[in-house]
Amino acid sequence: MSSRRFGSQSLLRLLGQWQHTSSRTPLWRQLAQALRLLILDGRLALDTRLPGEREMAAALGVSRTTVASAMAQLRDEGYLVSHQGSGSVVVLPESSRKVPTRMQQQTAVDLSTAALAAGPEIHQAYQHALNLMPTHFANTGYDQQGLLALRETIARRYSARGLDTRPDEVMIVNGAVSGFALILRLLTGPGDRVVVDHPTYPLAIAAIEGASCRPVGVTLPASGWDLDGLAATIAQTAPRLAYLMPDFHNPTGRCMDAATREKVADLAAQTRTTLVVDETMVDLWYDAPPPAPLAAFNPQAPVITLGSAGKSFWGGLRLGWIRASSRTIATLVQMRDTLDLGSPLLEQLATGWLMDNGEQFLPARRQMLAARRDFCAALMREHFPQWQFVSPQGGLSFWIELPEALATLFATRAESAGINLGTGTRFGLQGAFDRYMRMPFTLSDEAMRAAFTTLQPVWASLIHQPVSLRQKKYI
Amino acid sequence: MSSRRFGSQSLLRLLGQWQHTSSRTPLWRQLAQALRLLILDGRLALDTRLPGEREMAAALGVSRTTVASAMAQLRDEGYLVSHQGSGSVVVLPESSRKVPTRMQQQTAVDLSTAALAAGPEIHQAYQHALNLMPTHFANTGYDQQGLLALRETIARRYSARGLDTRPDEVMIVNGAVSGFALILRLLTGPGDRVVVDHPTYPLAIAAIEGASCRPVGVTLPASGWDLDGLAATIAQTAPRLAYLMPDFHNPTGRCMDAATREKVADLAAQTRTTLVVDETMVDLWYDAPPPAPLAAFNPQAPVITLGSAGKSFWGGLRLGWIRASSRTIATLVQMRDTLDLGSPLLEQLATGWLMDNGEQFLPARRQMLAARRDFCAALMREHFPQWQFVSPQGGLSFWIELPEALATLFATRAESAGINLGTGTRFGLQGAFDRYMRMPFTLSDEAMRAAFTTLQPVWASLIHQPVSLRQKKYI
């Protein structure tokens, strides 16, 4: 099993703004820290073969000694193995227990994952599901479209939200990411372009690249969506798909208003561009429920809608669904067996119960999360007055603008203090957004306060250096 | 969302021996039947655009009237829609409830799926799992490698079978097909070759083609494996992977002996060819337990082993696992998020209980299945004396050799009688094996007898035609 080679230009893009001339940390150590963060973030994949030291030094514009020292440090820490003549390969230290992934959950305090623990209703749902199971035990258990009863529940929910839906327009999948991978498999081929918001959900980028397609970003403005930018990008790149999160966008937490939904749907209909609308966060609204699903605004628009139980209820429920025309659903169901053979029955029954009874506990969940959001905002204003943010309308996190491109440096130092941060670069293409961070507000108030108390001196050590030493161009 | 075009040569290969000159059925009806079977089998995918009538007639060597009549029939039945100037597209009849897939479960009597209903231990396992769930509710529920306790159970099981395994050499996936899709994503690129037995498991072919790779078949001899053929194919085609089912091969039910395992493992080590060993059927042995896992025979061989709960316990448990070097596992875990975000916790806990307690119910399951196998063999000798088969050593089905290439014709007629048959062509590349059928012995004795009583006159009507009218070249 041979390693994948990684070109120095790709590495350069991935590293982004790794070099902070203001820092008192030697350059080789900064490089080692930046590479280690890429490995721990899952962005520099295990088993990747790095370029040679000479090539890397030339590409990064540093001395070969700097590169050699950084590599030696990573070898000592167990993140690289080198064999004479065949370069260095990314590995895991023997002591490390968990594989680094693009979804982080490694450290005691994790501020990089936006997800919640399970409420008591999850146990109730599973118990209810288990009571229903015996009626299904007489079957082989294979079902690639999903239980009719659950598809009926989902169809009713869409219809109630303003998008008339029949059960044959729904299929059950193993979560929204799984559904997106299936859609990509049906509708794209290697090298095809897929439009995404920029920033966007890191696992959407990963799924697009995993399907050998190329993500093309449309930069989000300070608020709302850039409709002209979207139209121009579609016209110029002729993408196979566009992936959008109108309710609520991850990482910014913004909600697309009804007028914009209509225009986006019209654009999709006019250009015959399939939209994949990921509604994973749709139940997590705080100020007002979102408008009707985007697909409802133009019945001629080719829209595929993705739903998920992971955020509304619990991440441990690995279940989602796809809503599309019955013809598209039938084709997706038929080719699903190239990826998996269906979703577990018990999870389907539990999710059905949770959806049918959601109004018993979702309001309290929204209230709790809105309070955490406001508490987190107050804490951030107190501890980090330089951070800019707007209060998210939904979802689970803030999108923070730093005064400088310091996210990678801040994250490497926070990691040494035992706190995992989500740098903005995870949400961008080619190293963009090092001036941003995603900050989830899913921790309890005490845990959040403790984390911020730890982070404050780390941040202060970065920001309180004399201005003259800082790299002015990023201010 | 545009339809995929399908060339006439591909259609020709897929149709195989559709034309039976001995039959009294008109040629256009035979063509319509063969096309309908391909659609119902999921082998001619929904949304596929067929070649034009003129092109199809030329490729099939029949008159344009024959093609036009067949297409008109399929349009009438709702399997095709045609638009002026843009050809005919495969669709589903409005009345049809279930999407046809490569795993069939559509008709009242399904002799095309080899799977079982759940036993009482499944309910017990879920109840046990539910009792353990509260300790996991404090987590976000995301875990891309799988629960340590389950990985420990699986590692112990491999070690007990002769393949020393640590928990970090195991990851949990959503079934063996899902695991294979992940392995293909890591180790192959578009156009790569993957070696398979011929015949082989249809969903392995689907997964390989779904990953834009090319399956290359090594024909299985009358018994055992053709080691020279495997070595020659590897030498000639330089495949990225070879996919094998030593215990037990689907559809033939054969088991690879220890000496062959050693030679295959040595071949993999010498040629640095990664083997994917699918052990889905390993618990379903009837005469003797299989030898140690193939990977145990040469520690230098790059072997990835796939396991599954679907056949040992129940198809409704959508859970499997991958066993490989810890480095390969770490890389697979890391890139998994391009396909899904992990396996449901409850399914993992239930599977762990079933594996820990398997010896309480697996012996009875084997005994029951061995009895069904022998009953089915006796019934077949009684009803279909022309069929040739050897008793499978494991798995869930017979591989039947017919006296002529009649499987497609037989299956189309059986379908009219309400019985779904698995033609051999599903298990082959490019329409091969129309002289074979896979016959599962998973139905109860009464259901099996009833099905065979229905099938006997259908078969007799094919075989009892005067020999002079039959196509002699297939005898």
Side-chain angles (χ1 to χ4, degrees):
Chain A
M1 283 166 258
S2 64
S3 315
R4 287 156 296 172
R5 283 165 203 288
F6 206 70
S8 51
Q9 287 310 310
S10 307
L11 188 62
L12 197 62
R13 278 197 299 270
L14 207 55
L15 276 167
Q17 301 299 339
W18 65 275
Q19 195 178 340
H20 293 266
T21 49
S22 64
S23 170
R24 270 174 250 153
T25 313
L27 215 51
W28 68 267
R29 197 181 284 277
Q30 287 188 42
L31 180 57
Q33 282 173 341
L35 287 169
R36 178 150 42 81
L37 188 73
L38 287 180
I39 297 170
L40 289 174
D41 264 6
R43 284 182 289 151
L44 191 55
L46 298 179
D47 217 29
T48 301
R49 188 176 299 276
L50 295 181
E53 288 178 7
R54 193 189 303 263
E55 186 189 338
M56 218 193 287
L60 297 176
V62 297
S63 75
R64 199 168 157 189
T65 315
T66 299
V67 173
S69 305
M71 304 287 268
Q73 168 81 15
L74 291 171
R75 262 194 300 277
D76 285 353
E77 293 173 358
Y79 290 102
L80 286 181
V81 283
S82 303
H83 300 291
Q84 194 69 39
S86 67
S88 296
V89 172
V90 175
V91 293
L92 275 190
E94 283 295 326
S95 60
S96 112
R97 284 214 198 138
K98 289 212 89 179
V99 178
T101 65
R102 281 168 284 236
M103 308 185 56
Q104 296 298 320
Q105 285 156 283
Q106 309 187 89
T107 45
V109 182
D110 187 356
L111 287 179
S112 74
T113 306
L116 284 165
E121 66 277 4
I122 302 296
H123 194 271
Q124 223 178 324
Y126 275 125
Q127 188 59 63
H128 176 82
L130 191 53
N131 295 341
L132 293 177
M133 278 299 272
T135 60
H136 298 277
F137 285 153
N139 302 322
T140 58
Y142 293 104
D143 174 5
Q144 290 176 274
Q145 182 158 8
L147 286 175
L148 179 61
L150 177 57
R151 290 187 286 116
E152 282 170 348
T153 294
I154 292 168
R156 270 198 305 274
R157 187 162 166 267
Y158 279 120
S159 300
R161 287 177 55 217
L163 177 61
D164 281 343
T165 303
R166 297 188 312 267
D168 65 347
E169 294 170 320
V170 175
M171 77 180 282
I172 311 301
V173 292
N174 297 325
V177 163
S178 232
F180 190 36
L182 180 61
I183 292 164
L184 285 163
R185 178 155 287 196
L186 176 64
L187 294 177
T188 68
D192 280 344
R193 292 185 189 85
V194 178
V195 166
V196 294
D197 294 322
H198 198 218
T200 192
Y201 179 45
L203 297 188
I205 301 173
I208 291 165
E209 293 178 339
S212 305
C213 292
R214 285 180 287 167
V216 180
V218 179
T219 303
L220 285 179
S223 67
W225 269 259
D226 176 6
L227 212 64
D228 292 339
L230 181 61
T233 306
I234 287 176
Q236 285 157 23
T237 65
R240 292 293 289 132
L241 296 175
Y243 170 90
L244 300 173
M245 286 169 291
D247 19 28
F248 294 86
H249 179 261
N250 187 352
T252 66
R254 67 184 65 175
C255 181
M256 192 183 281
D257 62 28
T260 309
R261 283 173 202 241
E262 186 170 354
K263 286 178 194 149
V264 170
D266 290 349
L267 177 65
Q270 281 151 25
T271 59
R272 305 303 302 154
T273 305
T274 300
L275 300 181
V276 178
V277 170
D278 183 345
E279 293 192 333
T280 295
M281 298 286 187
V282 72
D283 283 328
L284 304 181
W285 51 265
Y286 307 119
D287 307 319
L294 196 143
F297 286 82
N298 186 331
Q300 305 305 315
V303 179
I304 303 179
T305 308
L306 281 172
S308 171
K311 298 298 184 190
S312 303
F313 306 122
W314 186 44
L317 272 170
R318 303 272 2 96
L319 213 84
W321 51 89
I322 300 175
R323 191 262 179 215
S325 72
S326 59
R327 186 166 148 188
T328 299
I329 290 293
T331 316
L332 287 167
V333 169
Q334 193 175 60
M335 69 154 356
R336 174 182 192 154
D337 62 14
T338 67
L339 289 174
D340 67 60
L341 300 189
S343 299
L345 284 176
L346 196 81
E347 301 282 304
Q348 295 189 57
L349 294 168
T351 301
W353 185 90
L354 287 164
M355 292 185 78
D356 283 336
N357 295 276
E359 286 318 306
Q360 289 175 29
F361 48 84
L362 277 173
R365 191 172 171 90
R366 287 183 198 116
Q367 213 171 356
M368 182 268 281
L369 284 166
R372 284 192 181 176
R373 173 192 66 168
D374 298 339
F375 183 76
C376 182
L379 274 187
M380 288 195 293
R381 283 190 205 99
E382 178 191 333
H383 289 73
F384 311 102
Q386 305 89 348
W387 294 3
Q388 301 285 323
F389 54 85
V390 291
S391 193
Q393 294 167 272
L396 295 167
S397 53
F398 288 88
W399 183 238
I400 310 275
E401 185 178 350
L402 305 178
E404 299 180 39
L406 286 169
T408 299
L409 190 61
F410 185 32
T412 53
R413 296 205 182 166
E415 205 247 321
S416 310
I419 293 179
N420 216 336
L421 288 179
T423 61
T425 50
R426 286 200 199 160
F427 300 82
L429 305 170
Q430 306 187 341
F433 300 114
D434 197 30
R435 212 153 64 81
Y436 292 82
M437 287 195 320
R438 188 183 72 160
M439 182 61 67
F441 47 84
T442 44
L443 293 184
S444 69
D445 289 358
E446 312 82 74
M448 187 75 79
R449 184 183 288 281
F452 284 2
T453 305
T454 307
L455 282 176
Q456 194 178 33
V458 179
W459 172 253
S461 76
L462 288 179
I463 206 71
H464 286 151
Q465 286 159 356
V467 171
S468 62
L469 282 177
R470 276 184 258 144
Q471 262 186 304
K472 293 237 175 94
K473 61 175 169 170
Y474 300 120
I475 293 181
Chain B
M1 283 167 258
S2 65
S3 316
R4 288 156 295 171
R5 283 166 202 289
F6 206 70
S8 52
Q9 288 309 311
S10 307
L11 189 63
L12 197 62
R13 278 198 299 271
L14 207 55
L15 276 167
Q17 302 297 341
W18 66 275
Q19 194 178 342
H20 293 266
T21 49
S22 64
S23 170
R24 269 175 251 153
T25 312
L27 215 51
W28 67 267
R29 198 181 283 277
Q30 287 188 43
L31 179 58
Q33 283 173 341
L35 287 169
R36 178 150 41 81
L37 188 72
L38 287 180
I39 297 170
L40 289 174
D41 264 7
R43 284 182 288 151
L44 191 54
L46 298 179
D47 218 28
T48 302
R49 188 176 300 276
L50 296 181
E53 288 179 5
R54 193 189 303 265
E55 184 188 340
M56 217 193 287
L60 298 176
V62 297
S63 75
R64 196 167 160 190
T65 316
T66 299
V67 172
S69 305
M71 306 286 269
Q73 168 79 15
L74 291 171
R75 261 193 302 276
D76 284 354
E77 293 173 358
Y79 290 101
L80 286 181
V81 285
S82 304
H83 300 291
Q84 195 67 41
S86 67
S88 297
V89 172
V90 175
V91 294
L92 274 190
E94 283 296 327
S95 60
S96 111
R97 284 212 198 140
K98 289 210 92 178
V99 179
T101 65
R102 282 168 283 235
M103 307 184 59
Q104 296 299 322
Q105 283 155 284
Q106 309 186 90
T107 45
V109 181
D110 187 355
L111 288 178
S112 74
T113 307
L116 285 165
E121 66 276 4
I122 302 297
H123 195 271
Q124 220 179 328
Y126 275 126
Q127 189 59 64
H128 176 82
L130 191 53
N131 294 342
L132 293 177
M133 278 299 273
T135 59
H136 298 277
F137 284 153
N139 303 322
T140 59
Y142 292 104
D143 175 5
Q144 289 176 274
Q145 182 159 7
L147 287 176
L148 179 61
L150 177 57
R151 290 188 285 116
E152 282 170 347
T153 293
I154 291 168
R156 270 198 305 275
R157 187 163 166 265
Y158 279 120
S159 299
R161 289 177 54 215
L163 177 62
D164 282 343
T165 303
R166 297 188 313 268
D168 65 346
E169 293 169 321
V170 176
M171 77 180 281
I172 311 301
V173 291
N174 298 325
V177 162
S178 231
F180 190 36
L182 180 61
I183 292 164
L184 284 163
R185 180 154 284 198
L186 176 64
L187 295 177
T188 69
D192 280 345
R193 292 185 188 85
V194 177
V195 166
V196 294
D197 294 322
H198 199 219
T200 192
Y201 180 45
L203 297 188
I205 301 174
I208 292 164
E209 292 178 340
S212 305
C213 294
R214 286 180 286 168
V216 179
V218 179
T219 303
L220 285 179
S223 67
W225 270 260
D226 176 6
L227 212 65
D228 292 339
L230 181 61
T233 306
I234 287 176
Q236 286 158 23
T237 65
R240 292 293 290 131
L241 295 175
Y243 170 88
L244 299 173
M245 286 169 290
D247 19 29
F248 293 86
H249 180 261
N250 188 352
T252 65
R254 66 186 64 177
C255 181
M256 192 183 280
D257 63 28
T260 309
R261 282 171 202 242
E262 186 171 355
K263 285 178 195 148
V264 170
D266 290 350
L267 176 66
Q270 281 152 24
T271 60
R272 304 302 304 152
T273 305
T274 299
L275 300 181
V276 177
V277 170
D278 183 345
E279 292 192 333
T280 294
M281 298 286 187
V282 71
D283 283 327
L284 304 181
W285 50 266
Y286 306 119
D287 306 318
L294 196 144
F297 286 81
N298 185 332
Q300 304 305 315
V303 179
I304 302 179
T305 308
L306 282 172
S308 171
K311 298 298 184 190
S312 303
F313 307 122
W314 185 44
L317 272 169
R318 304 274 359 99
L319 212 83
W321 51 88
I322 300 174
R323 191 263 179 213
S325 72
S326 58
R327 187 165 146 187
T328 299
I329 290 293
T331 317
L332 287 166
V333 169
Q334 193 174 60
M335 70 152 359
R336 173 181 192 155
D337 63 13
T338 68
L339 289 174
D340 67 60
L341 300 189
S343 299
L345 284 176
L346 196 81
E347 301 282 304
Q348 295 188 57
L349 295 168
T351 301
W353 185 90
L354 287 164
M355 292 185 79
D356 283 337
N357 295 278
E359 286 318 306
Q360 289 176 28
F361 48 84
L362 277 174
R365 190 172 173 88
R366 286 183 198 115
Q367 214 171 353
M368 182 268 280
L369 284 166
R372 285 193 181 176
R373 173 193 67 169
D374 297 341
F375 182 76
C376 182
L379 274 186
M380 289 195 292
R381 283 192 206 98
E382 178 192 332
H383 290 74
F384 311 102
Q386 305 88 348
W387 295 3
Q388 301 285 323
F389 54 85
V390 292
S391 192
Q393 293 168 272
L396 295 167
S397 54
F398 287 88
W399 183 238
I400 310 276
E401 186 178 348
L402 305 178
E404 299 179 39
L406 286 168
T408 300
L409 189 61
F410 184 33
T412 52
R413 296 207 183 165
E415 205 248 323
S416 310
I419 294 180
N420 216 336
L421 289 179
T423 61
T425 50
R426 286 198 199 163
F427 301 83
L429 305 171
Q430 306 187 341
F433 299 114
D434 197 31
R435 212 153 65 80
Y436 292 82
M437 287 195 322
R438 187 184 72 162
M439 183 60 66
F441 47 84
T442 44
L443 292 185
S444 70
D445 290 357
E446 312 81 74
M448 188 75 78
R449 183 184 288 282
F452 283 3
T453 304
T454 306
L455 283 175
Q456 195 179 31
V458 179
W459 171 253
S461 75
L462 289 180
I463 206 72
H464 285 152
Q465 286 158 357
V467 172
S468 62
L469 283 177
R470 276 185 259 146
Q471 263 187 304
K472 292 237 174 91
K473 61 177 171 171
Y474 300 122
I475 294 181

